[in-house]
């Protein structure tokens, strides 16, 4: 069987299975989110001043950025769960959180600051951020990979990386409720590094688990 016929047969087979991918992904993540939340609450917990922090727009923007990452990665990963799907164009959705973060950095630059730029970039808990977000991502990544196995991605490593970005975005949303570093510069540096680490783990796992 030549390559074109193989892809067509896989696409036809995936057509019968493609519909469950989205609801299975949603259900899997809904099961995994409380697990990750329990991990957060049983270890480092929420930041003590969270009620006051909610009045800080830069605290709120962290959640906008992380949820934008998770939702855009979900959209792309669902699209690429079909064997005939192309990443061209769709991958640009991942620029949405980048654009939001860039706007947030620009807004912060316009506000008088008590701390120098490098202090805001380094923050208070960079290493905690880089270690906690990947750990909180693990149940979510397992759930996302399990759901994406219902599809037939032509590029399993890329699909796994996107599953990593989905889980990293959700885990970062949870961690943001603890994090007392609200500067968009901190988010750009350390949340991004954390997401990249999880995406790399997802790519390695996806290359094996999502291959058909």
């Amino acid at each position: 069987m030549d390559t074109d016929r193989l892809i067509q047969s896989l696409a036809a087979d995936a057509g019968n299975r493609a519909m469950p991918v989205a609801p299975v992904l949603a259900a899997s993540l809904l099961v995994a989110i409380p697990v990750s939340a329990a991990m957060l609450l049983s270890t480092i917990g929420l930041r003590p001043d969270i009620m006051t922090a909610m009045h800080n727009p830069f605290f709120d923007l962290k959640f906008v950025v992380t949820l934008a990452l998770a939702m855009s990665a979900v959209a792309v990963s669902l699209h690429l769960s079909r064997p005939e799907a192309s990443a061209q164009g769709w991958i640009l959705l991942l620029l949405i959180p980048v654009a939001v973060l860039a706007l947030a950095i620009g807004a912060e630059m316009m506000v008088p600051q008590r701390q120098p730029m490098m202090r805001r970039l380094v923050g208070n808990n960079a290493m905690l951020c880089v270690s906690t977000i990947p750990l909180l991502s693990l149940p979510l990544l397992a759930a996302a990979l399990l759901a994406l196995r219902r599809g037939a991605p032509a590029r399993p490593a890329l699909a796994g990386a996107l599953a990593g970005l989905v889980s990293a975005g959700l885990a970062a949303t949870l961690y943001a409720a603890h994090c007392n570093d609200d500067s968009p510069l901190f988010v750009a540096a350390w949340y991004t590094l954390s997401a990249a680490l999880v995406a790399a783990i997802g790519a390695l796992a996806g290359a094996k688990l999502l291959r058909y």
Side-chain angles (χ1 to χ4, degrees):
M1 181 182 294
D2 60 32
T3 303
D4 291 339
R5 291 182 60 190
L6 175 61
I7 292 176
Q8 289 173 5
S9 65
L10 286 170
D13 179 61
N16 298 325
R17 299 188 299 160
M19 288 300 292
V21 175
V24 169
L25 178 60
S28 299
L29 292 175
L30 285 174
V31 170
I33 287 173
V35 176
S36 295
M39 290 169 61
L40 173 76
L41 294 174
S42 64
T43 53
I44 56 177
L46 304 179
R47 59 187 286 176
D49 65 339
I50 189 169
M51 298 305 295
T52 303
M54 288 180 182
H55 299 288
N56 177 2
F58 292 114
F59 173 80
D60 300 330
L61 273 169
K62 292 190 297 186
F63 297 91
V64 176
V65 172
T66 57
L67 288 174
L69 173 61
M71 290 187 292
S72 59
V74 164
V76 181
S77 63
L78 288 176
H79 171 71
L80 294 181
S81 67
R82 298 178 289 113
E84 78 281 11
S86 170
Q88 186 175 6
W90 281 81
I91 208 74
L92 295 177
L93 288 176
L94 298 177
L95 294 179
I96 294 174
V98 176
V100 173
L101 189 53
L103 290 173
I105 292 173
E108 186 185 43
M109 294 298 182
M110 299 176 64
V111 177
Q113 297 293 329
R114 299 178 182 178
Q115 296 182 333
M117 181 182 297
M118 284 304 300
R119 177 60 180 169
R120 284 177 279 139
L121 176 66
V122 175
N124 300 312
N125 295 294
M127 292 302 100
L128 181 64
C129 174
V130 175
S131 60
T132 302
I133 290 177
L135 286 174
L136 296 179
S137 296
L138 294 179
L140 296 157
L141 178 58
L145 290 171
L146 178 66
L148 292 177
R149 282 177 60 86
R150 299 296 295 266
R155 301 174 65 180
L158 177 59
L162 288 165
L165 291 178
V166 171
S167 57
L170 294 174
T173 301
L174 294 172
Y175 175 75
H178 166 84
C179 180
N180 59 9
D181 293 300
D182 298 329
S183 171
L185 290 172
F186 182 90
V187 175
W190 304 106
Y191 282 50
T192 299
L193 177 57
S194 301
L197 290 172
V198 182
I201 296 171
L204 292 173
K208 295 183 178 181
L209 298 177
L210 302 180
R211 189 178 300 278
Y212 53 81

